[in-house]
């Protein structure tokens, strides 16, 4: 039998940070796309979105991570996966809201799109 490794770190993701350029615009966009209500802005550059599940979604203008020209890197591969019970309705919803879709629905299971800042995101059928 394996003995658990002793560590003070928790085996849980506490939050997922998404780099954004304009916090208010990003907050409104994500709130509309995900049906969010509430949430808090901290330190003038973080929006902690109220999410279901184990990890929080944090929109961050990332002032400490900008280059000398004030630019921040965005996710250029789908590193964040959102879930849905209805992949077809979700695809149509994003299309109707002029979200940049990067793929069609693949394998009747997922598709890829961009947020306002160009971060590449994925939406999959919820299998839980």
């Amino acid at each position: 039998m394996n003995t658990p490794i002793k560590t003070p770190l928790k085996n849980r993701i506490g939050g997922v940070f998404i780099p954004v350029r304009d916090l208010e615009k990003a907050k409104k966009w994500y709130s509309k796309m995900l049906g969010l209500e509430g949430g808090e802005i901290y330190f003038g550059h973080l929006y902690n979105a109220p999410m279901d599940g184990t990890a929080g979604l944090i929109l961050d203008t990332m002032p400490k991570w900008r280059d000398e020209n004030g630019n921040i890197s965005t996710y250029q591969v789908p590193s964040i996966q959102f879930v849905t019970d209805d992949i077809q309705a979700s695809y149509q919803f994003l299309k109707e809201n002029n979200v940049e879709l990067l793929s069609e629905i693949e394998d009747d299971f997922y598709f890829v799109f961009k947020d306002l800042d160009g971060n590449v995101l994925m939406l999959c059928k919820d299998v839980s």
Side-chain angles (χ1 to χ4, degrees):
M1 188 161 129
N2 291 337
T3 304
I5 299 169
K6 288 278 203 185
T7 176
L9 284 69
K10 293 183 178 182
N11 183 8
R12 189 185 86 190
I13 295 173
V16 175
F17 284 80
I18 298 179
V20 300
R21 290 176 182 85
D22 184 311
L23 192 60
E24 281 301 318
K25 283 184 181 178
K27 177 184 171 190
K28 287 177 185 173
W29 189 87
Y30 276 89
S31 292
K32 183 176 183 179
M33 295 304 112
L34 298 174
L36 302 174
E37 292 183 22
E40 298 290 328
I41 293 180
Y42 297 97
F43 314 115
H45 68 94
L46 297 171
Y47 168 64
N48 191 0
M51 300 289 290
D52 294 333
T54 59
L57 178 67
I58 302 164
L59 306 180
D60 188 352
T61 58
M62 301 192 169
K64 293 182 181 184
W65 303 106
R66 291 176 176 264
D67 67 17
E68 61 277 355
N69 297 317
N71 299 314
I72 54 173
S73 295
T74 57
Y75 295 128
Q76 298 303 303
V77 296
S79 57
I80 299 169
Q81 177 194 67
F82 294 101
V83 294
T84 181
D85 290 326
D86 189 334
I87 196 78
Q88 298 290 338
S90 298
Y91 187 87
Q92 190 61 36
F93 176 77
L94 293 181
K95 189 174 184 177
E96 290 169 0
N97 281 278
N98 300 313
V99 172
E100 185 177 350
L101 301 167
L102 299 180
S103 75
E104 299 291 325
I105 298 171
E106 304 288 336
D107 302 318
D108 195 37
F109 187 73
Y110 75 95
F111 64 90
V112 180
F113 61 100
K114 284 187 178 181
D115 73 1
L116 290 176
D117 291 286
N119 290 297
V120 178
L121 307 168
M122 181 182 284
L123 187 71
C124 294
K125 279 186 182 177
D126 190 356
V127 294
S128 59

